[in-house]
Amino acid sequence: MALQSRVSRNFVVTSLRYGAASYSSSSKDAVKHDDEEFRVLNLRPNARKAMVRKTFKKQLVMPPRYEQMATDQDWGNVWPGPKTFHPASVPLPLRQGFTEGGKAPPGKFANAELMKIPNFLHLTPPVVKRQCEAIKQFCSPWPKGLENEEKMEKHFPLRIITSDYCLSSPTIRNNLARVAALKFKLASLKLDDHAKDKFLRLVKERYNPETDEVTIVADRCPLKRQNYDYAMYLLTALVHESRTVESWEEQKTLDDMEIYIWNDNKSKENSEAIVNWGKGENEKKAVPQKYGAAVERLMNEGENVQNYRDYKESVLEMLGLKPETDFVAVQGGDR
């Protein structure tokens, strides 16, 4: 009996040992199997349960603004300042762009061409008038003595001409915007004969004898202000250089003169001698300046029909003869 109980106890212990061993080996196999299998990482394990199907509502699209505009509206309130073109705010059927086949250009909606170029829809005549009235309080009255062009040219002989450009390109700069030009009458400089002759030789083709106007254009600097300063410097240098008398210029004779000057020439003395032939000291008179100017033009500008006509009229006037009739009578008497 004691032997049987001891054998039973040993069997139970042995069974427990083998059972534990088999359990541990099966658990290790299960863990090893789980390690070899790819497991999905689920960050929201309850997402499917919480997911609710959304219903989308179609939003109502309001009609364009220009369809609700009144015909007598204040356009200055709609478009108060410069801005990019907005099709819904402009009650005009605008079109812009190129199409092939003779089709109509694209409309104003979704038109990139209308948005690229700057517009002036904010500068309508009523808005401009309103703005002028607003800034009138900051303006001074027009100065007296400048009522017409002649008076303005007399007091302000120098004109400055510049240009600004508006481009439909990625940059608003234009190379021609840097150009600055000065225009003025040569008579406004009040130069003497020596300085005037020297000034004309320096400016060359920049002087227009028909209008007596000098034009100086500066475009070598990158900025407009720099070109303006350079043009003013050129004008100042030209005037000072023209009024400067060099030492060698005082030694010039009539043969060295570049132009014919009637007052300095022997022709003036000969003309006075002819006009005052046989007259006393009290009866002598000066030769008309018209004759001297005609001789100068004929010698300096060359022979042409106009210069000959002026020379003829001045000679007849100097000799006291009438045009044509007296001349024909004298010829007939000689015959």
Side-chain angles (χ1 to χ4, degrees), residues 240-258:
H240 282 283
E241 185 64 26
S242 301
R243 290 176 176 173
T244 302
V245 180
E246 303 292 343
S247 58
W248 58 267
E249 293 184 73
E250 298 177 354
Q251 302 175 2
K252 292 174 65 175
T253 62
L254 289 177
D255 297 334
D256 299 327
M257 293 296 177
E258 298 85 356

Side-chain angles (χ1 to χ4, degrees), residues 213-230:
E213 208 169 45
V214 180
T215 305
I216 299 176
V217 180
D219 60 351
R220 61 178 58 189
C221 300
L223 298 180
K224 183 189 302 181
R225 180 66 187 185
Q226 294 173 337
N227 285 314
Y228 164 75
D229 293 339
Y230 180 66

